[in-house]
Amino acid sequence: MTRSSYLVLAILFAAAPAFGQSPLADLTDADLANGKRLFEGQCARCHGMRGTGGEGANLARPILPHAADDSALFSVIRSGIPGSGMAGTRSMTDQEVWQVAGYVRSLSRIAVVSLPGEAGRGRVIYETKGGCQACHIVQGQGGSLGPELTAVGTRRGSDYLRQAVLDPGASLPDSLMLPPGYAEFLLVRVVTRDGREVRGMRVNEDAFTIQLRDQNDHFHSFHKPDLREMEKEFGKSLMPSYQGRLSTSEIEDLVAYLASLRGEP
Amino acid sequence: MRSVRLLAVIAMLLWPVGLDAQVPYQRIERAESEPANWLTYSGSYRSQRFSPLKQINADNVSGLRPTWVYQVREPGIVEATPLVVDGVMYLTEPPSTVTALDARTGRRLWSWSPSMPKDVLHIGGPAVNRGVAILDDTVFVGTLDAHLVALDSKSGAVRWDVVVADNRLAYWISSAPLAIDGKIVIGVSGAEAGIRGFLDAYSARTGERVWRFWTVPGPGQPGSETWGGDSWETGGGSTWLTGSYDPEFDLLYWGIGNPAPDWNADSRPGDNLYTCSLVALDASTGELRWHFQFTPHDVHDWDSNQIPVLLEAEVAGRQRKLVVMANRNAFYYLLDRQTGEFLLGTPYARQTWSDGLDQRGRPIVLPNTEPSVEGTLVYPSLQGAANWFSPSYSPLTGFFYVAVREMGAHYFKGQAEYEPGTRFTGGGEQALSGDSAYGAVRALNVGTGEMKWEFRLLSPPRAGMLSTAGGVVFGGTDEGNFFALDAGTGEPLWDFQTGGGIRSNPMSFSINGKQQVAIAAGQALFVFGLP
């Protein structure tokens, strides 16, 4: 690269946020590949080789609490997060930091792909025959027992969405309250020492307590040493399977509708 | 006037002799005889993290209440074990601040913070500090930018400040120093940036360096044949956790960290001594008396920076003077602490990388357990079955209490090119975290390693253990539980949600005749006692 093109890049990167255009938009495939290489060498020890977290946060999700926009993501990578294990980097150039930022953003971005179903028909199924609104919120409307779906198409591919409709317990999303790797909506059945049985979804847990939310939308809190039994029902879900309840083409329409939910009104 | 001068001269002559010193070496040597205080990082030179206090016991521990809480002033992870000396607590706060507190109320008496460059390097770990050492009237701390600083114990004023190593080369300090007779021993971090590790001893009075032990031998030195090519120059071998000391043999026991680069060993064929080893050093000269390598040619970042615990127990029908370690590689080891002879090694957690140990304690490594480009699943994970957080040994139960991490990881191999002051690791892991992993407190029969009981934790812990003469074991969790178990049975007796992850070790002291238990959690230090 010539000196003048470096200059152009520098101006572009420096000026871009001021114009509301993130430098990430200009990254090439080669930039992202280099971002991946740098990520695996310098970030993966804590964030995992696939960015799904470990000692460090799960980065493969659309909203990063410390990096609401791309310039915030740049400063987190450059300067770290005070008071956390996240250290900044001194060794990368600004361009390399942008490459890593681009790669991090790519971890959670599901591309728009063409699907066999028809989203318009899927929406009707979602709102009527499927009864999905009873438990899911889209654009502020619906019940809150299940996951909020306003932008589910940006973070979930069609294969995952199809599986979620057919076998909801097979792959639960990551917990919002616990670190990466803990399932949200995990069904847990407990029996207290006095024989009371409660079944609900795990909201939070530690070594000594567990918080559940039952099907009737009540929270329960238990001290584990006071329980006679506690069973985590991996592979199950409060959500019913739509296998057999919807036709194959209806399922594809529903999947197409879910994939079309990208946060835009 | 003349007599006043004379008195002043006499006082000056007396001062260096230390007649008035508050914590002479002899007090630390006999720390177990004054359990109201906590005079060194692990409670005593033997590092048993056992408190002979018994006011808090299995019957009344359920009545524990917070006595006071101290909030640290800069956000950060608090891994420190405080010291307590005659009513004063010495705590480090992130990143390298030392604070003296009134141990009765938690009110500050003084505080000192180093002036450090904004871009101080701490590659391989968070900006933490695990505590201070005290000797005579001086408090000693290692700083993030790799200085060793001596502070007046009453005011926090600097007595001396020496550079241990160059932070631009990514040397940094996180561990508490160890004060022995006249000397301050301090280790360094930085293997994730390809430092050449060492352990140093400094004169407590002047800050002059007395000796240096290189953990990676140079050309011509014994052990250098275990390094291919020039790999020794960037071979790692950090000394980032406080060791133990046996005054009888005048031996220091210190765990040595991983070789560099961590997960790509192509450039460093051989056993890579003395990485992933325990070394026994002559405390007067720093000379190596013996070593034992737990994980030759490590490729998983299984540092041996765990606490070496000194104790006496019967092994195979014979009473032995032991050094015991629950190693990051998932094996529990007993060594003769005078000779280094391997006596026993047995897994205390799930491990899938070896087919056990041979007669000399060398692991029989299974094929296809090295990191690979596509990822290789191995137990334990990078953080190991145990890590820096302390185990505890109770001479009353004969149990060795260890906080265990049951977690596997896919290990990846990547490229590693050395550039001074940058990451030099060559790969990484993807841990099987969350619901796929769990933690436990395990009580091991000290002489056999056999598990006597286990108490399950939700997640792999990063908090150590304390056992007490009251028959109680204290521990903490990543989710913020501080808890007490029955030392004999593992039954839960008490738990308290601190509201912040616990990445520290419990300790105990007494103030005005009332036993207290302290633990750092989140951004605070909590002290508990009976009402």
Side-chain angles (χ1 to χ4, degrees):
Chain A
M1 196 182 273
T2 64
R3 198 189 173 113
S4 60
S5 57
Y6 267 126
L7 190 65
V8 169
L9 264 180
I11 290 169
L12 188 72
F13 285 156
F19 295 115
Q21 166 76 46
S22 165
L24 298 196
D26 297 311
L27 293 180
T28 63
D29 286 350
D31 286 325
L32 291 179
N34 200 44
K36 179 174 190 286
R37 188 185 64 81
L38 290 163
F39 181 91
E40 288 176 353
Q42 307 208 27
C43 318
R45 185 175 194 264
C46 298
H47 293 290
M49 287 298 268
R50 298 180 191 108
T52 52
E55 291 290 300
N58 174 10
L59 304 177
R61 49 185 176 154
I63 296 169
L64 301 174
H66 291 279
D69 58 27
D70 293 336
S71 61
L73 180 56
F74 180 96
S75 26
V76 166
I77 298 169
R78 170 60 81 211
S79 310
I81 301 171
S84 77
M86 175 64 196
T89 173
R90 197 173 61 95
S91 60
M92 286 188 222
T93 64
D94 279 1
Q95 190 188 356
E96 287 174 328
V97 172
W98 282 119
Q99 288 169 338
V100 172
Y103 176 67
V104 167
R105 287 290 187 222
S106 78
L107 292 170
S108 61
R109 204 182 298 126
I110 302 288
V112 179
V113 294
S114 150
L115 294 169
E118 203 274 301
R121 287 200 303 266
R123 178 176 182 158
V124 175
I125 294 164
Y126 180 94
E127 290 173 353
T128 57
K129 190 175 178 183
C132 310
Q133 276 181 319
C135 297
H136 296 280
I137 292 176
V138 172
Q139 299 290 354
Q141 300 300 309
S144 69
L145 203 59
E148 208 273 359
L149 300 177
T150 301
V152 71
T154 62
R155 57 181 190 270
R156 299 293 187 194
S158 58
D159 288 347
Y160 182 95
L161 294 170
R162 192 175 295 107
Q163 185 190 47
V165 170
L166 296 175
D167 187 4
S171 182
L172 297 172
D174 260 358
S175 168
L176 301 172
M177 291 294 109
L178 288 162
Y182 288 97
E184 185 80 347
F185 308 108
L186 176 69
L187 270 180
V188 179
R189 189 184 67 85
V190 302
V191 182
T192 60
R193 286 205 191 280
D194 56 12
R196 192 164 61 96
E197 181 170 330
V198 175
R199 190 162 179 259
M201 297 178 296
R202 177 176 66 184
V203 178
N204 207 343
E205 185 179 3
D206 61 33
F208 287 86
T209 71
I210 189 162
Q211 292 72 36
L212 304 180
R213 184 181 173 192
D214 71 17
Q215 201 150 11
N216 300 320
D217 238 356
H218 294 124
F219 287 117
H220 300 263
S221 173
F222 299 99
H223 190 229
K224 288 181 186 177
D226 299 334
L227 294 175
R228 188 197 295 163
E229 282 178 53
M230 186 176 86
E231 183 193 1
K232 293 178 179 173
E233 302 181 9
F234 288 100
K236 293 187 183 173
S237 170
L238 275 184
M239 175 174 151
S241 166
Y242 283 83
Q243 180 91 52
R245 297 175 58 163
L246 295 176
S247 70
T248 307
S249 66
E250 285 173 326
I251 285 167
E252 288 308 319
D253 290 341
L254 184 57
V255 168
Y257 171 63
L258 294 172
S260 77
L261 295 174
R262 301 183 75 82
E264 297 115 14
Chain B
M1 188 71 187
R2 196 172 185 138
S3 60
V4 172
R5 268 197 201 143
L6 188 65
L7 277 174
V9 168
I10 291 169
M12 279 173 71
L13 285 173
L14 286 176
W15 180 256
V17 181
L19 285 181
D20 297 315
Q22 190 183 3
V23 189
Y25 160 73
Q26 289 75 15
R27 266 189 84 179
I28 310 174
E29 194 185 354
R30 293 192 295 267
E32 283 139 333
S33 68
E34 47 169 307
N37 294 306
W38 191 271
L39 299 176
T40 186
Y41 178 73
S42 292
S44 74
Y45 286 138
R46 297 155 69 81
S47 300
Q48 294 179 358
R49 205 166 277 271
F50 170 80
S51 171
L53 295 174
K54 51 189 176 188
Q55 199 176 68
I56 297 169
N57 59 44
D59 291 330
N60 63 21
V61 68
S62 62
L64 279 187
R65 299 281 184 276
T67 306
W68 51 262
V69 177
Y70 175 74
Q71 301 278 349
V72 300
R73 289 162 309 138
E74 293 283 330
I77 300 166
V78 189
E79 292 189 354
T81 297
L83 302 189
V84 170
V85 182
D86 307 331
V88 178
M89 174 179 281
Y90 299 95
L91 175 73
T92 55
E93 306 184 33
S96 302
T97 290
V98 182
T99 298
L101 300 169
D102 168 11
R104 192 175 65 82
T105 62
R107 296 296 291 167
R108 279 197 295 160
L109 302 175
W110 57 258
S111 199
W112 172 86
S113 294
S115 168
M116 291 194 290
K118 205 165 176 244
D119 57 352
V120 60
L121 294 176
H122 51 95
I123 296 167
V128 297
N129 187 283
R130 297 194 192 86
V132 297
I134 190 164
L135 186 65
D136 298 331
D137 297 295
T138 310
V139 172
F140 302 89
V141 66
T143 64
L144 201 62
D145 61 344
H147 288 229
L148 180 64
V149 184
L151 305 170
D152 175 72
S153 65
K154 294 296 193 292
S155 66
V158 174
R159 294 272 184 206
W160 50 257
D161 176 340
V162 297
V163 177
V164 172
D166 187 356
N167 182 250
R168 299 292 87 192
L169 296 176
Y171 285 97
W172 55 292
I173 297 177
S174 57
S175 60
L178 184 71
I180 56 174
D181 195 5
K183 287 191 279 293
I184 306 301
V185 184
I186 185 76
V188 291
S189 303
E192 273 64 50
I195 60 156
R196 183 185 175 206
F198 59 79
L199 186 70
D200 273 359
Y202 293 84
S203 158
R205 207 163 57 79
T206 66
E208 209 177 328
R209 197 167 87 203
V210 182
W211 52 253
R212 169 167 291 181
F213 170 75
W214 289 100
T215 61
V216 178
Q221 293 178 315
S224 63
E225 70 284 357
T226 66
W227 293 88
D230 295 333
S231 58
W232 64 274
E233 291 181 83
T234 55
S238 306
T239 44
W240 58 271
L241 189 65
T242 312
S244 306
Y245 176 60
D246 185 338
E248 183 191 355
F249 304 129
D250 196 27
L251 281 183
L252 281 168
Y253 302 89
W254 218 276
I256 311 296
N258 61 285
D262 302 43
W263 303 287
N264 183 335
D266 292 349
S267 63
R268 48 175 179 86
D271 279 357
N272 306 142
L273 288 173
Y274 298 97
T275 65
C276 301
S277 301
L278 181 70
V279 296
L281 305 179
D282 183 314
S284 303
T285 64
E287 281 168 22
L288 181 70
R289 288 272 190 84
W290 58 257
H291 76 275
F292 179 84
Q293 190 173 37
F294 302 97
T295 315
H297 190 70
D298 167 55
V299 287
H300 297 103
D301 190 12
W302 291 333
D303 288 297
S304 290
N305 304 98
Q306 290 81 56
I307 298 288
V309 181
L310 312 187
L311 56 92
E312 285 71 50
E314 194 177 288
V315 183
R318 191 177 144 198
Q319 193 70 12
R320 306 290 295 238
K321 292 182 177 178
L322 301 169
V323 52
V324 178
M325 187 182 274
N327 194 272
R328 189 158 160 171
N329 72 8
F331 283 85
Y332 170 81
Y333 293 87
L334 304 180
L335 307 175
D336 180 300
R337 74 170 178 266
Q338 187 176 10
T339 64
E341 181 190 352
F342 167 77
L343 301 174
L344 181 134
T346 185
Y348 66 92
R350 183 175 180 196
Q351 65 84 23
T352 62
W353 64 283
S354 89
D355 190 23
L357 310 178
D358 72 13
Q359 283 194 327
R360 299 175 63 192
R362 188 182 175 92
I364 302 156
V365 178
L366 290 168
N368 306 318
T369 53
E370 287 206 353
S372 57
V373 173
E374 61 280 6
T376 308
L377 177 61
V378 172
Y379 283 77
S381 75
L382 181 162
Q383 300 295 336
N387 205 304
W388 61 267
F389 33 87
S390 297
S392 177
Y393 169 68
S394 166
L396 300 181
T397 60
F399 293 166
F400 190 89
Y401 303 97
V402 56
V404 181
R405 300 173 58 86
E406 286 286 3
M407 183 186 233
H410 296 279
Y411 287 89
F412 293 86
K413 183 178 183 176
Q415 297 299 312
E417 269 175 54
Y418 179 75
E419 197 181 315
T422 64
R423 188 167 280 276
F424 182 55
T425 50
E429 72 156 2
Q430 183 69 51
L432 301 179
S433 55
D435 288 310
S436 310
Y438 70 95
V441 175
R442 289 187 180 146
L444 310 180
N445 177 321
V446 75
T448 64
E450 177 203 357
M451 190 173 85
K452 303 303 285 188
W453 55 254
E454 164 186 86
F455 180 78
R456 287 275 187 126
L457 306 174
L458 178 70
S459 65
R462 283 175 276 201
M465 310 301 306
L466 166 78
S467 60
T468 74
V472 180
V473 178
F474 291 92
T477 75
D478 245 25
E479 292 75 40
N481 309 98
F482 184 46
F483 60 86
L485 307 177
D486 184 297
T489 65
E491 287 300 309
L493 301 173
W494 171 79
D495 60 276
F496 180 89
Q497 176 53 254
T498 61
I502 300 181
R503 299 186 183 185
S504 63
N505 297 309
M507 54 80 75
S508 189
F509 64 100
S510 193
I511 190 95
N512 297 337
K514 294 194 75 173
Q515 185 185 358
Q516 311 289 325
V517 184
I519 188 83
Q523 313 285 307
L525 183 84
F526 290 76
V527 174
F528 295 89
L530 292 170

